[in-house]
Amino acid sequence: MAADRSLIFEFVSEAKEHLANVADDLLALEQRRDDSVRYRVDRLFRAVHSVKGGAGFFGCRTVEELAHAMETVLDQLREQPEPPAGPVIDALLAGNDRILALLDDVERSHQADVGDLLARLRSLLPAGAPAPPPPPVLPARDFPLSAPVLAPRPPQHVYLYGLSADLAECDRGGWRPLRLLQRLQEIGAILDARLDLPDARLDAGLPAGPLRYQALFSSGLAPDRVTQALGVAGVHLVLLEPVERPAPPPPAVRQVTPPAEEPTLPAPADRGNTLRIPVQLVDRLMTLAGELVLVRNQALRAIDPADAALRPVGQRLDTVTGELQEAVLRTRMQPVGNLFGKFPRLVRDLARQLGKEIELEVAGTEVELDKTILEALSDPLTHLVRNGCDHGIEPADVRLRSGKPPQGLIRLSARHLAGQIYLEVRDDGRGIDPQVVKQKAAERGLRTAADLARLGDRDLLGLILLPGFSTAAAVTDVSGRGVGMDVVKTNLDRLGGVLDIDSAPGRGTTFTLRLPLTLAIIPCLVVGAGGERYALPQKDLEELVCLQPGQARARVEHAYDQEVIRLRDRLLPLVRLGEVLRWRAPFTAETRAKVLGKYRNPAEGLLFFGVVKVGDRRFGLVVDEIFTTEEIVVKPMHGVLQPLACFAGATIMGDGRVSLILSIEGVARHAGVRFDVMPEQALPAPNEVRGGETQEVLLFRYGPSEQFALPLAMVRRVELVRMDRVERVGEEEFLTLDGVPTAVLRPDRFLSVSACEDREQMFLILPKGVRRPLGLLASAVLDTETVPLDVDPGVVGGDGLVGSGVVRGQLTLFPDVYRLADLAQPPPRPRLPAPAEGMRRVLLVEDTQFFRELVRGYLEEAGYEVETAVHGADGLARLDAGAFDAVVSDIEMPEMDGWAFARAVRQRPGGERLPLVALTTLNSERDREKARACGFDRYEVKVDRERFLGTVAELLRLHEARGEP
Amino acid sequence: MTRRNPAAFCTFRLGDSLFGIDLPLVKEVSTVPPMTPVPQAPAAVRGYVNLRGLVTLVLDLRQFLGMEPAVPGPDTRLVLFKSTLGDPFGVLVDAVGDVVTLAGDRVEERPHENELVTGVGKLADDLLLILDARKLLPRVAGAIAEVPR
């Protein structure tokens, strides 16, 4: 077993893939799901055979032996047309399971005793089939086909065989020539062959007389195995002794050849278009893609958005980078089917054990999920399915009596919704009665009667997730030992997932698991402590609280040697992050005393803390600053730093610097948070519906990092809008809705939240009761949700927020629409210089109606008389028709653009001195240069009203000063 | 004891002394990017830097050799090691020198008061203290293990 570990690893993972299919095929055979019995048996044989080959190659004798026994049974099945009986399937499944178990610890597999299973498998074979005698040994040169003994052959093919067969006789024994050849290919490689053809024509069938076939083939299989595999009448086998080459090559040679090259291992069907890649390489790709994102961000900042030449390049870089990152992320993804695959077997076994009839339905197997999450989901999902079989589905007679079909149904499904994965385990069994749950919870003292009385049905169902809860009337072997549901919840918490329970008594129960797509990128809150930034995973965060100096003093108390705070009438331990990080060793009584002494008289100032959770326990983590939320790529801590339990990893922030990711569990342990000083044990999460008042909010997103919420009572309506209809006016953006120009507020303009790339269509949320028409821009409208009315005063983003809270496990910002509207309102206009008397006729050349009207409005308001033209040619025509004191022209126009128009104006008699202003969205130095060359006097960017009018007035004054007409 | 084969060293200065590390262990030499300290780590761990997307640990070699902590200046460089030594890491040096190749008989392997120094190489006008980079990470691990947890 000294072979290269990575090769063994390859073998193990490949063998597991084979064996996973084996279980599926066996179950299909049993249920006679289709008519392709033969096809399935063949596939089974090939799979088991491959495992055997690999095991033999790596010297895993026990696995090899077991696989061989299974293969022999399967070989028998190939001979019989009808599907195998139950006991045969059972034995084969048992063999399959045992091999899987052995592969888990393949290094020690040879120590395992599989005698019982071997005997069980052998007992399935028809009696009286004695082991065939070993083949005679012959010097290779004596075999008729000895020439290519030196021919290259796979190094693991240590045996050389000579075969002589009468194909006619084989055919009579049920072995068609093709089958014989296939078998030879399966067990080895044919090096040379000769067929002695008689004169007879073959198209009429095989001749009656002997048809001699001789083959020289190599194999890794020992003589007894080969004899067994070729145990056909008419076949004679000899083992050849190669003279020129030592029989078993040295192990070193064996190790360097990957088993994938072994021709006896039939490639899985999709080998051609899949690739095995080490996870490290994928992680490296992730890293590089992340780095490219940083470079892209720098590049986009450096590119002048008005530079017509560079802008498309920037946009393209942006798209390509985004897609690259997404593609690399997808390499970590695996279909949920890999996880669901084991459940048909599980449900079958459970049904048998429980004496019930249960059918399993699986949907959405193609939905993809991060490999890490998929692996971690195996246990929780197994538990839920077990529960469904055991507690959910009733025995057939009970079902019949209640008018259901005797066969129970368990449905496993996966779907992708709004960036999350929803896994559902649904049964049509007896359901969970909230009243029974209530009674149990009271009996076990999990909640007080008063608490229970306040809970609604849905909240009552949630109680089954508490440790120590079990509703099963009888404790069975399958489930119901009072552990489990809380473990499911803990596992899900760790993954940042959420579990919902829905049940209708008598009709069934549905468990919905909501999960993030990946753990490689997690949403975090960036906080500051001791002058450094740290990432705090949002899955550990429940809410953010900011206390005013006075409040802090009133609400922070001391319990023994720990700071606690009164929050909504509950006491919450406080941990100061800065102190935790300052002390290398976990807190002792002495450390605590020092820390406490330091904060006995807290300085005046705001107190920021996040309510974080470790399992069911919560504490307040005090930080110096709160920055923003960010999606970060998680990288593990350096190997030597692993003992530092306060950190879960590191990440590279948007500015390219490294930040550490906090492990809340580690911080709690380091600080030795004492939860037992709390009079009330578990503090309810702020989202749990309490007695207090609630409100409906609209959940939406803008940038990738934050979730926003707006009370539904404040929303007039939500419009789907096309972003190419948005008009820019200076700093402001407008959309015309129902003929009314409506200001578009981008959350990132006023709040420090992530930016959002424009999509073709976005949502505009129109609030009620605003003084001027405006809407809040959103990239996605998620849902509505009921949340507690008392939102905590916000600290993230600052001005313009009502507060923040955690909704659906995500930090959520509650924008203050009215404050945002105030912030967006342009300042009152200053008095403008009035145009000189008699200098007031301006020609405005502009193709867009919106701007034409807007700029005309500006000019007219300032006292000019304005005539408009829709493009350059139109403008020239107007100049022909009347006299103007100044011309204002757009650049990008149909028919004749601004450049050509300006040149034409300058060439007109009397046009050389005409004040000419370019008013455009183009804003690069090159464009300004070109404008000068074309003859424009001034260049203004759309539209700073004051500046623009100042320019026009100044030009006219200069013109007048020069005494021109 | 002397080595038989000529060996190449990446040389650098710390204070007044010239040090060398086996060239095959060195991946690259870089300027020092902005550093993020790792609280609770031993003092010789200066922090993390981002080197082209790779989160890299930076150690203060001076502190391992009983010298004053490094004060980064214009000549300060980061000598980075290959992945054969473990997760990405590097050491701060006051200034890098040339790569020198020493014939086997110019290197004397002998115990030194600091166990990181495994030998001394004789240059024309200077002595080269040869460091064993393999011992650096275990030193950090040892320092972390000293703290009760």
mmCIF file of all heavy atoms in Angstrom, chain A residues 780-815:
data_model
loop_
_atom_site.group_PDB
_atom_site.id
_atom_site.type_symbol
_atom_site.label_atom_id
_atom_site.label_comp_id
_atom_site.label_asym_id
_atom_site.label_seq_id
_atom_site.Cartn_x
_atom_site.Cartn_y
_atom_site.Cartn_z
ATOM 1 N N ALA A 780 -33.741 44.122 -7.717
ATOM 2 C CA ALA A 780 -34.629 42.972 -7.591
ATOM 3 C C ALA A 780 -35.596 43.229 -6.446
ATOM 4 O O ALA A 780 -35.201 43.742 -5.402
ATOM 5 C CB ALA A 780 -33.832 41.704 -7.321
ATOM 6 N N VAL A 781 -36.855 42.896 -6.664
ATOM 7 C CA VAL A 781 -37.833 42.958 -5.579
ATOM 8 C C VAL A 781 -38.047 41.533 -5.126
ATOM 9 O O VAL A 781 -38.389 40.663 -5.929
ATOM 10 C CB VAL A 781 -39.134 43.608 -6.067
ATOM 11 C CG1 VAL A 781 -40.210 43.474 -5.014
ATOM 12 C CG2 VAL A 781 -38.894 45.078 -6.368
ATOM 13 N N LEU A 782 -37.751 41.244 -3.860
ATOM 14 C CA LEU A 782 -37.702 39.860 -3.418
ATOM 15 C C LEU A 782 -39.060 39.346 -2.962
ATOM 16 O O LEU A 782 -39.575 38.377 -3.494
ATOM 17 C CB LEU A 782 -36.691 39.709 -2.273
ATOM 18 C CG LEU A 782 -35.281 40.194 -2.597
ATOM 19 C CD1 LEU A 782 -34.409 40.108 -1.366
ATOM 20 C CD2 LEU A 782 -34.679 39.374 -3.720
ATOM 21 N N ASP A 783 -39.643 40.021 -1.995
ATOM 22 C CA ASP A 783 -40.822 39.435 -1.371
ATOM 23 C C ASP A 783 -41.356 40.445 -0.358
ATOM 24 O O ASP A 783 -40.782 41.490 -0.135
ATOM 25 C CB ASP A 783 -40.405 38.154 -0.623
ATOM 26 C CG ASP A 783 -41.569 37.190 -0.518
ATOM 27 O OD1 ASP A 783 -42.706 37.601 -0.805
ATOM 28 O OD2 ASP A 783 -41.339 36.029 -0.146
ATOM 29 N N THR A 784 -42.439 40.066 0.285
ATOM 30 C CA THR A 784 -42.856 40.836 1.445
ATOM 31 C C THR A 784 -42.677 39.944 2.661
ATOM 32 O O THR A 784 -42.644 38.726 2.553
ATOM 33 C CB THR A 784 -44.331 41.266 1.348
ATOM 34 O OG1 THR A 784 -45.115 40.088 1.222
ATOM 35 C CG2 THR A 784 -44.561 42.167 0.167
ATOM 36 N N GLU A 785 -42.507 40.555 3.811
ATOM 37 C CA GLU A 785 -42.227 39.774 5.019
ATOM 38 C C GLU A 785 -42.778 40.535 6.216
ATOM 39 O O GLU A 785 -42.834 41.773 6.214
ATOM 40 C CB GLU A 785 -40.705 39.601 5.143
ATOM 41 C CG GLU A 785 -40.210 38.878 6.376
ATOM 42 C CD GLU A 785 -40.431 37.369 6.279
ATOM 43 O OE1 GLU A 785 -39.561 36.665 5.749
ATOM 44 O OE2 GLU A 785 -41.487 36.921 6.752
ATOM 45 N N THR A 786 -43.197 39.781 7.222
ATOM 46 C CA THR A 786 -43.676 40.421 8.433
ATOM 47 C C THR A 786 -42.526 40.528 9.424
ATOM 48 O O THR A 786 -41.866 39.530 9.714
ATOM 49 C CB THR A 786 -44.799 39.575 9.052
ATOM 50 O OG1 THR A 786 -45.792 39.359 8.038
ATOM 51 C CG2 THR A 786 -45.426 40.284 10.224
ATOM 52 N N VAL A 787 -42.259 41.704 9.906
ATOM 53 C CA VAL A 787 -41.156 41.894 10.852
ATOM 54 C C VAL A 787 -41.667 42.718 12.037
ATOM 55 O O VAL A 787 -42.684 43.391 11.932
ATOM 56 C CB VAL A 787 -39.959 42.619 10.186
ATOM 57 C CG1 VAL A 787 -39.450 41.846 9.010
ATOM 58 C CG2 VAL A 787 -40.341 44.025 9.772
ATOM 59 N N PRO A 788 -40.935 42.669 13.161
ATOM 60 C CA PRO A 788 -41.344 43.475 14.309
ATOM 61 C C PRO A 788 -41.313 44.954 13.961
ATOM 62 O O PRO A 788 -40.511 45.388 13.134
ATOM 63 C CB PRO A 788 -40.292 43.158 15.374
ATOM 64 C CG PRO A 788 -39.560 41.982 14.901
ATOM 65 C CD PRO A 788 -39.745 41.870 13.437
ATOM 66 N N LEU A 789 -42.187 45.698 14.599
ATOM 67 C CA LEU A 789 -42.312 47.107 14.289
ATOM 68 C C LEU A 789 -41.094 47.909 14.761
ATOM 69 O O LEU A 789 -40.651 48.844 14.117
ATOM 70 C CB LEU A 789 -43.581 47.649 14.955
ATOM 71 C CG LEU A 789 -44.099 48.968 14.419
ATOM 72 C CD1 LEU A 789 -44.301 48.896 12.928
ATOM 73 C CD2 LEU A 789 -45.410 49.324 15.103
ATOM 74 N N ASP A 790 -40.540 47.503 15.894
ATOM 75 C CA ASP A 790 -39.462 48.314 16.455
ATOM 76 C C ASP A 790 -38.119 47.984 15.829
ATOM 77 O O ASP A 790 -37.416 47.088 16.239
ATOM 78 C CB ASP A 790 -39.387 48.155 17.985
ATOM 79 C CG ASP A 790 -39.279 46.698 18.377
ATOM 80 O OD1 ASP A 790 -39.690 45.858 17.560
ATOM 81 O OD2 ASP A 790 -38.793 46.410 19.479
ATOM 82 N N VAL A 791 -37.800 48.736 14.807
ATOM 83 C CA VAL A 791 -36.513 48.583 14.128
ATOM 84 C C VAL A 791 -35.454 49.299 14.961
ATOM 85 O O VAL A 791 -35.706 50.383 15.474
ATOM 86 C CB VAL A 791 -36.596 49.207 12.733
ATOM 87 C CG1 VAL A 791 -35.247 49.200 12.078
ATOM 88 C CG2 VAL A 791 -37.606 48.464 11.893
ATOM 89 N N ASP A 792 -34.299 48.675 15.092
ATOM 90 C CA ASP A 792 -33.279 49.324 15.895
ATOM 91 C C ASP A 792 -32.662 50.489 15.155
ATOM 92 O O ASP A 792 -32.491 50.435 13.947
ATOM 93 C CB ASP A 792 -32.197 48.302 16.268
ATOM 94 C CG ASP A 792 -32.643 47.511 17.461
ATOM 95 O OD1 ASP A 792 -32.693 48.087 18.547
ATOM 96 O OD2 ASP A 792 -32.981 46.327 17.287
ATOM 97 N N PRO A 793 -32.317 51.532 15.902
ATOM 98 C CA PRO A 793 -31.718 52.689 15.238
ATOM 99 C C PRO A 793 -30.514 52.249 14.432
ATOM 100 O O PRO A 793 -29.668 51.504 14.903
ATOM 101 C CB PRO A 793 -31.310 53.601 16.395
ATOM 102 C CG PRO A 793 -31.499 52.819 17.644
ATOM 103 C CD PRO A 793 -32.394 51.671 17.341
ATOM 104 N N GLY A 794 -30.467 52.699 13.221
ATOM 105 C CA GLY A 794 -29.440 52.161 12.328
ATOM 106 C C GLY A 794 -28.083 52.787 12.536
ATOM 107 O O GLY A 794 -27.963 53.897 13.009
ATOM 108 N N VAL A 795 -27.070 52.030 12.212
ATOM 109 C CA VAL A 795 -25.723 52.575 12.254
ATOM 110 C C VAL A 795 -25.039 52.366 10.933
ATOM 111 O O VAL A 795 -24.118 53.070 10.581
ATOM 112 C CB VAL A 795 -24.886 51.926 13.362
ATOM 113 C CG1 VAL A 795 -25.258 52.527 14.684
ATOM 114 C CG2 VAL A 795 -25.038 50.445 13.375
ATOM 115 N N VAL A 796 -25.488 51.364 10.159
ATOM 116 C CA VAL A 796 -24.863 51.121 8.874
ATOM 117 C C VAL A 796 -25.392 52.137 7.878
ATOM 118 O O VAL A 796 -26.589 52.344 7.775
ATOM 119 C CB VAL A 796 -25.201 49.704 8.375
ATOM 120 C CG1 VAL A 796 -24.547 49.474 7.024
ATOM 121 C CG2 VAL A 796 -24.725 48.688 9.363
ATOM 122 N N GLY A 797 -24.468 52.775 7.147
ATOM 123 C CA GLY A 797 -24.900 53.694 6.111
ATOM 124 C C GLY A 797 -25.166 55.087 6.627
ATOM 125 O O GLY A 797 -25.005 56.045 5.916
ATOM 126 N N GLY A 798 -25.559 55.222 7.882
ATOM 127 C CA GLY A 798 -25.684 56.540 8.495
ATOM 128 C C GLY A 798 -26.923 57.286 8.050
ATOM 129 O O GLY A 798 -28.024 56.721 8.002
ATOM 130 N N ASP A 799 -26.732 58.569 7.710
ATOM 131 C CA ASP A 799 -27.828 59.454 7.354
ATOM 132 C C ASP A 799 -28.665 58.844 6.240
ATOM 133 O O ASP A 799 -28.133 58.330 5.279
ATOM 134 C CB ASP A 799 -27.232 60.795 6.901
ATOM 135 C CG ASP A 799 -28.292 61.882 6.892
ATOM 136 O OD1 ASP A 799 -29.400 61.639 7.443
ATOM 137 O OD2 ASP A 799 -28.016 62.959 6.350
ATOM 138 N N GLY A 800 -29.970 58.895 6.385
ATOM 139 C CA GLY A 800 -30.833 58.377 5.339
ATOM 140 C C GLY A 800 -31.378 56.997 5.646
ATOM 141 O O GLY A 800 -32.033 56.391 4.818
ATOM 142 N N LEU A 801 -31.082 56.489 6.828
ATOM 143 C CA LEU A 801 -31.604 55.180 7.205
ATOM 144 C C LEU A 801 -32.486 55.314 8.438
ATOM 145 O O LEU A 801 -32.175 56.072 9.348
ATOM 146 C CB LEU A 801 -30.454 54.220 7.544
ATOM 147 C CG LEU A 801 -29.706 53.583 6.392
ATOM 148 C CD1 LEU A 801 -28.677 52.603 6.929
ATOM 149 C CD2 LEU A 801 -30.664 52.859 5.458
ATOM 150 N N VAL A 802 -33.573 54.562 8.443
ATOM 151 C CA VAL A 802 -34.391 54.500 9.648
ATOM 152 C C VAL A 802 -33.709 53.581 10.653
ATOM 153 O O VAL A 802 -33.724 53.804 11.854
ATOM 154 C CB VAL A 802 -35.786 53.939 9.312
ATOM 155 C CG1 VAL A 802 -36.644 53.884 10.567
ATOM 156 C CG2 VAL A 802 -36.451 54.780 8.249
ATOM 157 N N GLY A 803 -33.099 52.529 10.132
ATOM 158 C CA GLY A 803 -32.439 51.576 11.015
ATOM 159 C C GLY A 803 -32.094 50.316 10.259
ATOM 160 O O GLY A 803 -32.128 50.275 9.029
ATOM 161 N N SER A 804 -31.731 49.295 11.038
ATOM 162 C CA SER A 804 -31.373 48.033 10.408
ATOM 163 C C SER A 804 -31.910 46.892 11.243
ATOM 164 O O SER A 804 -32.237 47.062 12.413
ATOM 165 C CB SER A 804 -29.857 47.919 10.298
ATOM 166 O OG SER A 804 -29.309 47.814 11.594
ATOM 167 N N GLY A 805 -32.012 45.743 10.641
ATOM 168 C CA GLY A 805 -32.469 44.569 11.372
ATOM 169 C C GLY A 805 -32.106 43.360 10.555
ATOM 170 O O GLY A 805 -31.596 43.486 9.441
ATOM 171 N N VAL A 806 -32.324 42.183 11.112
ATOM 172 C CA VAL A 806 -32.032 40.983 10.347
ATOM 173 C C VAL A 806 -33.352 40.379 9.905
ATOM 174 O O VAL A 806 -34.212 40.064 10.721
ATOM 175 C CB VAL A 806 -31.209 39.980 11.169
ATOM 176 C CG1 VAL A 806 -31.016 38.696 10.388
ATOM 177 C CG2 VAL A 806 -29.858 40.591 11.516
ATOM 178 N N VAL A 807 -33.525 40.287 8.600
ATOM 179 C CA VAL A 807 -34.736 39.708 8.045
ATOM 180 C C VAL A 807 -34.316 38.520 7.193
ATOM 181 O O VAL A 807 -33.444 38.656 6.348
ATOM 182 C CB VAL A 807 -35.503 40.732 7.180
ATOM 183 C CG1 VAL A 807 -36.767 40.104 6.623
ATOM 184 C CG2 VAL A 807 -35.837 41.974 7.992
ATOM 185 N N ARG A 808 -34.910 37.384 7.454
ATOM 186 C CA ARG A 808 -34.558 36.150 6.742
ATOM 187 C C ARG A 808 -33.063 35.884 6.800
ATOM 188 O O ARG A 808 -32.425 35.574 5.796
ATOM 189 C CB ARG A 808 -34.984 36.228 5.289
ATOM 190 C CG ARG A 808 -36.477 36.324 5.152
ATOM 191 C CD ARG A 808 -36.852 36.019 3.737
ATOM 192 N NE ARG A 808 -38.293 35.967 3.607
ATOM 193 C CZ ARG A 808 -38.914 35.874 2.462
ATOM 194 N NH1 ARG A 808 -38.231 35.806 1.349
ATOM 195 N NH2 ARG A 808 -40.209 35.805 2.416
ATOM 196 N N GLY A 809 -32.487 36.061 7.961
ATOM 197 C CA GLY A 809 -31.086 35.728 8.150
ATOM 198 C C GLY A 809 -30.119 36.693 7.499
ATOM 199 O O GLY A 809 -28.935 36.418 7.412
ATOM 200 N N GLN A 810 -30.609 37.818 7.023
ATOM 201 C CA GLN A 810 -29.719 38.770 6.364
ATOM 202 C C GLN A 810 -29.866 40.136 6.995
ATOM 203 O O GLN A 810 -30.989 40.569 7.286
ATOM 204 C CB GLN A 810 -30.123 38.898 4.900
ATOM 205 C CG GLN A 810 -29.607 37.784 4.058
ATOM 206 C CD GLN A 810 -28.869 38.335 2.864
ATOM 207 O OE1 GLN A 810 -28.516 39.507 2.805
ATOM 208 N NE2 GLN A 810 -28.600 37.477 1.913
ATOM 209 N N LEU A 811 -28.739 40.794 7.159
ATOM 210 C CA LEU A 811 -28.800 42.157 7.649
ATOM 211 C C LEU A 811 -29.573 42.986 6.630
ATOM 212 O O LEU A 811 -29.307 42.922 5.443
ATOM 213 C CB LEU A 811 -27.391 42.731 7.812
ATOM 214 C CG LEU A 811 -27.403 44.166 8.322
ATOM 215 C CD1 LEU A 811 -27.818 44.204 9.772
ATOM 216 C CD2 LEU A 811 -26.054 44.799 8.137
ATOM 217 N N THR A 812 -30.547 43.742 7.100
ATOM 218 C CA THR A 812 -31.422 44.459 6.192
ATOM 219 C C THR A 812 -31.482 45.927 6.590
ATOM 220 O O THR A 812 -31.614 46.250 7.768
ATOM 221 C CB THR A 812 -32.826 43.836 6.241
ATOM 222 O OG1 THR A 812 -32.715 42.459 5.916
ATOM 223 C CG2 THR A 812 -33.763 44.499 5.260
ATOM 224 N N LEU A 813 -31.346 46.785 5.600
ATOM 225 C CA LEU A 813 -31.369 48.220 5.873
ATOM 226 C C LEU A 813 -32.758 48.768 5.595
ATOM 227 O O LEU A 813 -33.384 48.413 4.596
ATOM 228 C CB LEU A 813 -30.350 48.928 4.983
ATOM 229 C CG LEU A 813 -28.918 48.399 5.088
ATOM 230 C CD1 LEU A 813 -28.002 49.161 4.137
ATOM 231 C CD2 LEU A 813 -28.425 48.530 6.522
ATOM 232 N N PHE A 814 -33.235 49.624 6.472
ATOM 233 C CA PHE A 814 -34.537 50.271 6.292
ATOM 234 C C PHE A 814 -34.275 51.724 5.899
ATOM 235 O O PHE A 814 -33.990 52.554 6.747
ATOM 236 C CB PHE A 814 -35.346 50.229 7.596
ATOM 237 C CG PHE A 814 -35.829 48.851 7.954
ATOM 238 C CD1 PHE A 814 -34.947 47.873 8.393
ATOM 239 C CD2 PHE A 814 -37.166 48.533 7.871
ATOM 240 C CE1 PHE A 814 -35.395 46.610 8.726
ATOM 241 C CE2 PHE A 814 -37.624 47.264 8.198
ATOM 242 C CZ PHE A 814 -36.734 46.304 8.629
ATOM 243 N N PRO A 815 -34.345 52.035 4.596
ATOM 244 C CA PRO A 815 -34.039 53.397 4.174
ATOM 245 C C PRO A 815 -35.133 54.362 4.627
ATOM 246 O O PRO A 815 -36.289 53.981 4.750
ATOM 247 C CB PRO A 815 -34.000 53.319 2.649
ATOM 248 C CG PRO A 815 -34.208 51.893 2.292
ATOM 249 C CD PRO A 815 -34.703 51.170 3.477
#
